[in-house]
Amino acid sequence: MPPWLQLMLDSLAPLLWAALVFTIPLTLLSFVLGLTLGLLTAIARLFGPKPLVAVARFYVWVIRGTPLLVQLFVIFYGLPSVGILLDAFPAALIGFTLNVGAYTSEIIRAVIASVPRGQWEAAYSIGMSWSQAMRRTILPQATRVAVPPLSNTFISLVKDTSLAAAVTVPELFQTAQRIVATTYEPLILYIEAALIYLALSSVLSALQVRLEKRFARYGGFLEART
């Protein structure tokens, strides 16, 4: 067996373990919390009072206007200077959550605004309150439109978690870095890490296609194509 292949086989188990224990949980938790934050931010921007709208806009402006890596550094390395100490994983989780929340809020805001005003009027005409109309009429329709962009955000998040290595989270990429430090084979190990990310993204992309078909609108592009 070629030495490079033996090295890839030997390092496969620790890389997969790091992905299972750190990369995947960090991705799932960040996306769920970020999506919740994004929904609240979008609702605040669409229906909130002016002070709350200003706060939500400022939050989105700051997060979207600064690099994710800088945000992670501010949280993990910067906050200790003001007495706020966070472990690596919680710091990364906060950073990714804030980042995902800002980007998903724009997606959610757009899809809610795309629902025709007549749907609100129809919901009110049968006696629904604002919250009932949002929950039973508007959000179900908006969800269908939001599936593709939110799925893309989730897939991108899987790859972005590699930035957590910069704040010492022992996820997939940092595990590859540690193995490189002992084997001095960066090309092989980084290619192997890239292939694992590619495999995860490919699986998620396949699931995205199935999900889009499941939520496709009647008479939409997917139905017309089939």
Side-chain angles (χ1 to χ4, degrees):
M1 181 179 296
W4 63 268
L5 182 57
Q6 184 63 51
L7 176 60
M8 294 184 74
L9 292 176
D10 292 340
S11 59
L12 182 60
L15 290 177
L16 290 178
W17 178 253
L20 181 64
V21 175
F22 291 101
T23 300
I24 294 176
L26 181 59
T27 301
L28 293 175
L29 288 173
S30 299
F31 187 76
V32 171
L33 294 175
L35 188 61
T36 303
L37 178 60
L39 176 61
L40 295 176
T41 303
I43 291 176
R45 291 191 63 180
L46 287 171
F47 308 105
K50 288 185 178 180
L52 188 58
V53 172
V55 172
R57 284 181 174 175
F58 179 78
Y59 155 64
V60 173
W61 172 66
V62 169
I63 297 299
R64 295 182 68 197
T66 56
L68 175 56
L69 184 60
V70 174
Q71 296 164 18
L72 293 174
F73 270 58
V74 168
I75 294 171
F76 185 68
Y77 295 111
L79 290 183
S81 64
V82 293
I84 302 176
L85 302 175
L86 296 171
D87 291 334
F89 190 89
L93 179 60
I94 292 172
F96 286 120
T97 297
L98 291 174
N99 192 270
V100 171
Y103 281 93
T104 57
S105 71
E106 292 297 279
I107 296 173
I108 296 172
R109 183 174 65 89
V111 297
I112 290 178
S114 70
V115 177
R117 182 177 179 84
Q119 297 297 314
W120 287 98
E121 296 172 350
Y124 290 147
S125 69
I126 59 175
M128 288 188 184
S129 63
W130 181 92
S131 61
Q132 290 175 328
M134 175 65 74
R135 187 175 65 255
R136 298 178 182 179
T137 304
I138 305 305
L139 286 181
Q141 296 182 61
T143 298
R144 295 181 176 182
V145 183
V147 165
L150 289 179
S151 298
N152 291 334
T153 300
F154 183 74
I155 294 172
S156 296
L157 180 61
V158 173
K159 296 173 288 184
D160 288 343
T161 54
S162 60
L163 295 175
V167 293
T168 71
V169 176
E171 45 73 60
L172 172 59
F173 184 63
Q174 194 189 68
T175 300
Q177 290 179 311
R178 291 178 177 178
I179 298 175
V180 168
T182 59
T183 61
Y184 304 102
E185 293 288 352
L187 180 61
I188 296 173
L189 270 301
Y190 291 152
I191 287 178
E192 184 175 17
L195 290 174
I196 295 175
Y197 281 115
L198 180 61
L200 291 173
S201 299
S202 299
V203 171
L204 292 174
S205 295
L207 292 176
Q208 177 185 352
V209 172
R210 294 178 62 89
L211 196 61
E212 287 181 12
K213 290 181 178 179
R214 175 69 177 82
F215 285 97
R217 289 182 171 180
Y218 179 79
F221 170 74
L222 290 175
E223 285 80 1
R225 186 178 60 181
T226 55

